[in-house]
Amino acid sequence: MSTRRALCVVLCVVLVAFAEPKPCTCSSNSLPGCVGEWASQQGCTNATFTTMVGTIPSSIGSLSSISTLFIGSGELTGTIPPSLASVGGSSLRAITIKNAQLTGTLPQALLPRAGLHTLCIHSQQLTGTIPIKWFDAPSMVLSTLAIDTQRLHGTIPMGVAATNFPKLRKFSVSNNVLSGTIPSMLGSLTTVTNFQISNNVLSGSLPRSLSSLKNARFFFVGMHARTSARARVVWVVVSACLLVCACA
């Protein structure tokens, strides 16, 4: 092997080593304790909370090198601190929260994030509305936006449109108590392959613009279970017709 080729191989190995996400390790079972340990770990990029107890401390915002944040512990209580929006800075790529005990509202500053690809929040106790501030500016690389809390009310914001999410692949606000009509701007999300707004208390007719979602492999717009059986049948039929038109 030539010297040049050998140097190239070594360089590739080094680049791969640095590019590989490094999991954050912790000796404590409390999240506040782990945040302190992780803040001092060099190159710690993948933070996963699955067996933690206690609350999410505001100091979590000090984790500036995190690229992936996963909170899946059902033992965590309290609220989501606003400082969560500071985690990772421009390095953050994904936020996933799956917890049945967290209360309060969605942080106002979670979006827009320039480098964020995934925002998934599934927590049965969260209340409030989808923050309008999330749509103050485009999230150019966001591909997944899924918010399922079972208690989220208000309307689907008009800002959910291709101008703010040009690369969105999954949009889901199912299993909430969202009301009002379905914004016609949702039809501009032509990159979406997974579209879910079912199990809410939405009213009015389905916008014809939804027939533009030609890439949607999953398309769920059914009404909430509290509506009449006849209304649910009508929505199912109309949804199926729109999907057929979108795929034609």
Side-chain angles (χ1 to χ4, degrees), residues 17 32 53 90 120 128 192 216 240 248:
V53 296
S90 60
C120 292
V192 164

Side-chain angles (χ1 to χ4, degrees), residues 107-176:
Q108 295 279 329
L110 279 183
L111 289 176
R113 296 290 293 267
L116 194 67
H117 289 258
T118 300
L119 178 59
C120 292
I121 300 178
H122 306 283
S123 186
Q124 296 176 0
Q125 303 299 322
L126 292 174
T127 57
T129 62
I130 300 174
I132 298 299
K133 287 185 175 295
W134 285 9
F135 313 102
D136 282 351
S139 294
M140 299 302 294
V141 298
L142 193 73
S143 60
T144 298
L145 177 60
I147 310 294
D148 169 8
T149 73
Q150 296 190 11
R151 299 188 180 189
L152 205 64
H153 61 268
T155 61
I156 299 176
M158 296 295 292
V160 184
T163 51
N164 282 325
F165 306 109
K167 295 187 177 181
L168 199 64
R169 304 283 290 176
K170 178 179 180 179
F171 174 69
S172 175
V173 290
S174 291
N175 303 314
N176 292 294

Side-chain angles (χ1 to χ4, degrees), residues 4 76 113 129 196:
R4 179 177 295 181
L76 289 174
R113 296 290 293 267
T129 62
Q196 302 183 40

Side-chain angles (χ1 to χ4, degrees), residues 25 34 38 46 70 74 91 97 120 126 141 152 179 207 230 235 240:
T25 58
C34 283
W38 291 340
N46 191 345
F70 180 88
S91 301
I97 300 176
C120 292
L126 292 174
V141 298
L152 205 64
S179 58
R230 182 177 182 277
W235 271 59

Side-chain angles (χ1 to χ4, degrees), residues 222-238:
M223 293 183 74
H224 196 277
R226 285 179 290 182
T227 58
S228 68
R230 182 177 182 277
R232 291 198 299 274
V233 169
V234 170
W235 271 59
V236 169
V237 171
V238 173

Side-chain angles (χ1 to χ4, degrees), residues 26 28-31 34 38 48-54 73 75-76:
C26 178
S28 173
N29 70 337
S30 75
L31 187 48
C34 283
W38 291 340
T48 300
F49 316 144
T50 56
T51 59
M52 306 293 179
V53 296
S73 174
E75 300 300 320
L76 289 174

Side-chain angles (χ1 to χ4, degrees), residues 10-230:
V10 171
L11 179 60
C12 288
V13 170
V14 171
L15 290 175
V16 169
F18 276 100
E20 186 70 20
K22 180 181 178 181
C24 302
T25 58
C26 178
S27 59
S28 173
N29 70 337
S30 75
L31 187 48
C34 283
V35 168
E37 289 188 35
W38 291 340
S40 62
Q41 292 179 17
Q42 294 293 329
C44 169
T45 60
N46 191 345
T48 300
F49 316 144
T50 56
T51 59
M52 306 293 179
V53 296
T55 60
I56 303 176
S58 59
S59 58
I60 195 171
S62 65
L63 300 177
S64 58
S65 63
I66 298 299
S67 61
T68 302
L69 178 66
F70 180 88
I71 300 176
S73 174
E75 300 300 320
L76 289 174
T77 57
T79 61
I80 302 175
S83 60
L84 187 75
S86 300
V87 172
S90 60
S91 301
L92 190 65
R93 296 293 178 264
I95 299 176
T96 300
I97 300 176
K98 294 184 178 181
N99 180 285
Q101 304 300 321
L102 293 174
T103 58
T105 59
L106 297 169
Q108 295 279 329
L110 279 183
L111 289 176
R113 296 290 293 267
L116 194 67
H117 289 258
T118 300
L119 178 59
C120 292
I121 300 178
H122 306 283
S123 186
Q124 296 176 0
Q125 303 299 322
L126 292 174
T127 57
T129 62
I130 300 174
I132 298 299
K133 287 185 175 295
W134 285 9
F135 313 102
D136 282 351
S139 294
M140 299 302 294
V141 298
L142 193 73
S143 60
T144 298
L145 177 60
I147 310 294
D148 169 8
T149 73
Q150 296 190 11
R151 299 188 180 189
L152 205 64
H153 61 268
T155 61
I156 299 176
M158 296 295 292
V160 184
T163 51
N164 282 325
F165 306 109
K167 295 187 177 181
L168 199 64
R169 304 283 290 176
K170 178 179 180 179
F171 174 69
S172 175
V173 290
S174 291
N175 303 314
N176 292 294
V177 285
L178 297 174
S179 58
T181 58
I182 301 173
S184 61
M185 290 302 294
L186 291 179
S188 68
L189 301 173
T190 55
T191 57
V192 164
T193 59
N194 189 329
F195 182 86
Q196 302 183 40
I197 58 173
S198 57
N199 293 326
N200 283 289
V201 286
L202 299 168
S203 58
S205 58
L206 288 173
R208 296 182 65 87
S209 61
L210 294 188
S211 63
S212 298
L213 304 182
K214 300 182 183 298
N215 293 313
R217 299 177 182 177
F218 300 93
F219 187 86
F220 301 101
V221 296
M223 293 183 74
H224 196 277
R226 285 179 290 182
T227 58
S228 68
R230 182 177 182 277

